[in-house]
Structures are given as structure tokens and as C-alpha cells.
Amino acid sequence: MTKPTSIVIFGASGDLTTRKLIPGLYNLYCKKRLPNTFIIMGLSRGAWTDEQFRSEMKKGTKKFSSSTFLEEKWQDFQSHLFYTEGLFDDAQAFERLNGRLATLEASPANRLYYLSVAPRFFLMIVEQLAQQVMLSEQEGWRRVVVEKPFGHDLASARALNHDLHQHLSEHQIYRIDHYLAKETVQNILVFRFANTIYEPLWNRNYIDHVQITAVESVDVGHRAGYYDQAGVLKDMFQNHLMQLTALVAMEPPASFDADAVRNEKAKVLKSIQPMMPDTIGTHSVRAQYEGYLDAEGVADQSSTPTYAALQLHIDNWRWQGVPFYLRSGKALKTKATEIIVQFKRPPHMMFPIDNDVSIRSNYLALCIQPHEGIHLRFEAKVPDTDADMRPVDMEFHYDDEFEGLAIPEAYERLLSEAIEGDATLFTRSDGIEAAWTYIDTVLQGWASAYAPPMDSYTKGSWGPSSSDLLLTKNGRFWRHGCAEH
């Protein structure tokens, strides 16, 4: 962190830069987590001066990082902000950019290139950087941060990986999935591997099934045109839910080294059973919320699902026979991301309970958002009874235990890790391709004669009835573990 470092943001006039990137960099600056000498250079098609760029970024930072914004700090920070106008296919613009960077750096410097742009520009920008010899690491490291979506299927993801590797080594490519940088997602590894009491139970002998939920209360809104081309599988499952599955199911890595962690995650993703024609109808659910077809930008008679639920299985020693249920959707009852680890029921109930009282299972709820924390539910005897039982919770909440310590934005953490060269929170090429391999089998199944029917659901509900049936046919049910607390 002592060597001069330049952070170049392509698509600097875009929404992501204003909402996440510059506020994140500003917060890192306030925490003294940026290099001692640094510049932040924006490049976009807008005809801005340095002063105009600083003014626009100030508005965004005041709005989206209001709790930490201080005028005095901003005045110091903004002196590091610069702007260059240019198109991504204009070689002269990249020549000007390189010249201006060299002038401002005045000595050998590291460079982080952030591609805050649409996927069609990823390769174009990298090729321009290579043409101007801006990716050579002779005078310092060169890293490229690539936003999602990374491909739209397995073939396109493989092609993009191949094309990027023509100009970059794998260690230079940082593929973003902002879910991995959420504090509560990172806590999954700490919870599992820094506490010995859970590891002996974390397997098929004690766990009945796992539920992973990532739902939103908002509908597609102004993103309808994009969403109708992607759908919930590409928007949420291929990246976020696959990554959460890997973190829950992975084996303990030998160390917290980036490659060691990503090796174990990749093994999980490669072990997921593909969705076969004879199971696609019974192991998956797809649905649209009522009114989706009326949204502007949605094609007539669109078959794009806004909700999906999948039952998947991992073919390895630890998880053989344990189903993982994944669900995600738009326009649902609440916004929540959580993981439920449902333990098996007691094999025999010795207590004199009513036959009508079901034997309840223990479960662990990992609450990722919005109520960040962990809940362990178990049975306790009701006082002044012979053997009446009631479920109770042991709870941990971030707000209670770490009062005064704000949970940082995911992009703030990702920017810090990319600058430091820690790729643990970024996806590797084999992990991306393994996730797409599975999702492609689902998409192919949904395009076949074996596809489950397109269901519908009411806005503000928990989804279609077919999603409940996916579990109830096996004597299970969806839990709302974090929403219940």
C-alpha cells in the first residue's frame, strides 16, 4: 500500500460509480485504507471537466454515504479525482488516458481498472488497454475488475474467459459478485470453521436439508427490458445463490488463501447433479407475478420467470442424499436473504407428549439481510408441566453485539480487497463455468417438453403454491427463519 496506485473507472458517469464506487472509495480514504499515494481517474463519454466530475461525485457521496460524509474530508479526497472523456472503442481516447495517467503518476505505479460497464464492452476495453501496453506488470501490478453478468450461458462465459486470458493472466482478473462481500456472508466461513461445535454436525448424518432464500419485495420496475432477457435464474441463481450454496457446502480449506478457498468452492459447484429431463418437472418451479406481462419492456406472452425454486443435490461424501432448496423472486412479501440449515428429527421421542404434537426439528438460521444475525432454534420444557415443550431461540444480532460498528457496503470491501490483491471474495474462471454448467441444464429443461408449467403468484405473497409443494411432497416446508424474529 506504499506504492502509488491509480484506480481507473470505466463508465464513470454511470449509476454504479455514483452510488457505490466513489462512496466506497471515499469511506476507505476516511479509514486510511487506500494507498498513501493514489489517484482515481474516471473515463466515460460525457464531456466533463475534472471539476464537474468532482461535483457530480460529491452529490452521490453525500446522498449514498451521508452518515460518513464530512466536507473537510471530501475536499481532501476530491483532489485525487480526475476525469477523461472518451469512447470505449476509441484508441486515441485510451492513448490520452495513458498519457494523463503517466503524467499524474510521475513514477511507476500500480493500476486497478474497474469495468463499470455493460458486458458487451468488457473485451473491447481490455483489448484497448492491451493495445496501449497498459496491462504490462513491469512497473507495477495491473488488475481488472469485471462486473456481472459474466456471460449469459456456459458457452458465452467460456468464450469470455478465453478472450480475457489472451491479454490477462487469471491472477489479474477480479470477477465481482457483491454478495460475497456482504459481512454476513463472510461470517459463514468464520461461523463454520472457527467454531468446532458445528463441524461434526455439518453433514448428511445430522442435517435433513438446507434452504437458501434470496427474495425481493420490489417488482422489475424500470429494469423490465433487461430482466425479460435474463430472468431470475440468470439474475440471481447463477451467481448469488450458487455462491451461497458453495459457502455452506464446501470442505474446510487448508488456509484462508484465496486459491485454497476458491478450490473448495469450485469442488462443490462441480459436484452438483445436473438437472435431468426426468427431474426438471419435479425438482424445479417457475412462475411470474400477476401483472408482469403488463410491464413496459416485457415481450408479449413472455415466458421469463420472475420466481424460481430448485431442488438440487451435491454428489459427494458429506452431502449425499441431502437436498438443497433454493428460491428467489421479485414482488414477494419482503426483502430477505437467509440460509436455513434444518437438522434431522429425533429418531425416538421418549417424552409423554400428545400424539397430535409433531416432533419438531432444530434449525439454524443464518440471516444475511436485512436482520443480520444467527438464530439457533431448539426445544425447551415449558415450566410447571410434565413434558410440554416449546421452541426457543438462541440469537446473535450484529446490531446488538457490535453496536456502533456500521456494516460496510459490499463494494467498499471489494474495492479494498482488489487493491490489496486478495481475490478470496472474487469468483474464479472454473467456479463461474461450473455454476453455468448447472444452470444451463435447468434452462435447457425449461425449454423442453419436460418443463414444469409456468405458475403465477400474487404480488406481496411468498410465491406460487407449486413452490410449497416442492417441499411438502417430501414432508418439509419453507421456513422464514429470519423474518420470524
Side-chain angles (χ1 to χ4, degrees):
M1 300 291 278
T2 59
K3 188 171 182 177
T5 300
S6 297
I7 302 163
V8 183
I9 302 174
F10 294 95
S13 61
D15 189 52
L16 181 64
T17 304
T18 304
R19 289 188 303 110
K20 300 293 186 181
L21 302 185
I22 295 299
L25 290 167
Y26 166 77
N27 287 333
L28 290 174
Y29 175 75
C30 293
K31 296 175 182 178
K32 302 183 186 296
R33 294 179 183 174
L34 288 181
N36 297 337
T37 304
F38 71 94
I39 65 171
I40 300 170
M41 176 71 70
L43 186 142
S44 195
R45 64 187 303 171
W48 285 349
T49 63
D50 290 344
E51 289 70 26
Q52 288 173 313
F53 180 56
R54 293 167 181 172
S55 176
E56 291 297 321
M57 295 304 106
K58 180 179 180 179
K59 294 176 187 176
T61 305
K62 287 183 73 172
K63 180 178 180 179
F64 297 107
S65 193
S66 58
S67 62
T68 59
F69 185 87
L70 295 171
E71 184 66 35
E72 182 180 347
K73 284 285 187 182
W74 176 262
Q75 291 302 319
D76 292 338
F77 175 73
Q78 76 168 4
S79 66
H80 299 268
L81 297 182
F82 302 91
Y83 183 83
T84 297
E85 177 187 355
L87 299 177
F88 304 141
D89 61 352
D90 183 0
Q92 291 184 342
F94 281 77
E95 187 176 350
R96 290 195 304 271
L97 172 66
N98 196 26
R100 189 151 193 230
L101 286 172
T103 300
L104 291 167
E105 291 164 347
S107 63
N110 300 317
R111 290 183 185 177
L112 179 72
Y113 302 114
Y114 198 111
L115 308 189
S116 178
V117 298
R120 67 182 183 275
F121 296 120
F122 292 165
L123 185 59
M124 182 187 300
I125 292 172
V126 169
E127 287 176 341
Q128 293 282 9
L129 292 171
Q131 186 176 343
Q132 298 296 326
V133 199
M134 297 172 70
L135 298 175
S136 171
E137 297 194 291
Q138 290 183 347
E139 295 186 344
W141 54 252
R142 300 291 184 267
R143 298 172 189 146
V144 176
V145 180
V146 183
E147 267 289 342
K148 77 175 189 77
F150 196 92
H152 55 83
D153 57 15
L154 176 59
S156 60
R158 277 180 173 165
L160 182 54
N161 275 327
H162 175 271
D163 292 341
L164 291 179
H165 287 149
Q166 301 303 302
H167 308 286
L168 295 161
S169 299
E170 179 63 28
H171 76 271
Q172 294 178 278
I173 306 172
Y174 286 65
R175 302 169 188 81
I176 274 202
D177 184 340
H178 70 272
Y179 256 57
L180 293 179
K182 290 181 179 294
E183 199 73 36
T184 40
V185 172
Q186 296 170 54
N187 194 45
I188 294 172
L189 292 183
V190 174
F191 177 81
R192 285 193 57 195
F193 302 131
N195 299 291
T196 57
I197 62 174
Y198 298 108
E199 179 58 25
L201 311 178
W202 213 261
N203 56 60
R204 59 189 171 84
N205 296 321
Y206 296 96
I207 293 176
D208 178 77
H209 70 278
V210 177
Q211 301 176 18
I212 302 179
T213 296
V215 294
E216 298 178 278
S217 58
V218 298
D219 59 22
V220 295
H222 68 277
R223 297 177 70 231
Y226 159 77
Y227 196 90
D228 201 45
Q229 298 298 314
V232 68
L233 277 186
K234 296 181 182 180
D235 192 49
M236 292 295 294
F237 280 76
Q238 183 277 328
N239 39 65
H240 306 328
L241 294 188
M242 289 288 101
Q243 291 299 319
L244 292 179
T245 299
L247 288 172
V248 171
M250 65 187 280
E251 296 296 321
S255 70
F256 201 56
D257 172 76
D259 275 338
V261 173
R262 297 194 294 181
N263 285 344
E264 298 303 334
K265 288 169 57 182
K267 289 178 185 177
V268 171
L269 296 173
K270 293 174 182 178
S271 298
I272 298 176
Q273 285 182 9
M275 193 74 79
M276 305 302 290
D278 59 340
T279 59
I280 189 70
T282 57
H283 284 36
S284 71
V285 170
R286 54 180 184 151
Q288 292 176 345
Y289 63 78
E290 295 170 359
Y292 171 71
L293 294 178
D294 299 326
E296 185 177 354
V298 174
D300 294 340
Q301 306 302 316
S302 171
S303 60
T304 299
T306 61
Y307 179 97
L310 303 177
Q311 176 183 331
L312 62 82
H313 292 266
I314 299 171
D315 283 334
N316 63 20
W317 185 278
R318 182 184 292 265
W319 297 111
Q320 192 65 39
V322 178
F324 281 65
Y325 296 101
L326 280 56
R327 63 173 170 169
S328 182
K330 293 278 192 182
L332 295 169
K333 187 172 183 177
T334 189
K335 177 183 175 65
T337 303
E338 64 181 27
I339 299 167
I340 302 292
V341 179
Q342 180 83 47
F343 295 97
K344 291 185 176 181
R345 292 182 177 182
H348 169 69
M349 184 54 67
M350 56 181 278
F351 303 104
I353 61 174
D354 228 331
N355 288 334
D356 293 335
V357 177
S358 62
I359 303 174
R360 290 175 288 250
S361 302
N362 307 135
Y363 74 81
L364 181 72
L366 304 175
C367 309
I368 295 171
Q369 64 178 12
H371 307 295
E372 295 91 349
I374 299 173
H375 304 271
L376 177 62
R377 175 161 290 191
F378 59 94
E379 296 295 308
K381 179 181 174 295
V382 177
D384 201 23
T385 66
D386 288 336
D388 290 352
M389 290 176 285
R390 196 182 81 185
V392 296
D393 292 301
M394 293 179 66
E395 301 180 352
F396 152 69
H397 293 120
Y398 268 83
D399 289 344
D400 296 336
E401 297 297 328
F402 301 105
E403 187 177 358
L405 291 177
I407 296 178
E409 273 284 339
Y411 277 90
E412 179 183 329
R413 181 63 183 271
L414 289 168
L415 286 162
S416 176
E417 300 290 274
I419 293 169
E420 292 180 11
D422 186 346
T424 305
L425 302 181
F426 297 84
T427 53
R428 203 169 57 189
S429 58
D430 56 344
I432 287 273
E433 293 180 15
W436 270 122
T437 297
Y438 172 71
I439 294 298
D440 267 12
T441 66
V442 181
L443 291 170
Q444 290 161 10
W446 282 0
S448 73
Y450 302 95
M454 180 68 73
D455 207 344
S456 65
Y457 60 98
T458 305
K459 280 188 175 184
S461 68
W462 277 110
S465 58
S466 52
S467 178
D468 295 327
L469 183 61
L470 185 68
L471 275 72
T472 56
K473 66 186 179 185
N474 294 314
R476 304 180 176 108
F477 60 92
W478 288 112
R479 289 195 178 274
H480 309 120
C482 303
E484 294 171 359
H485 301 279

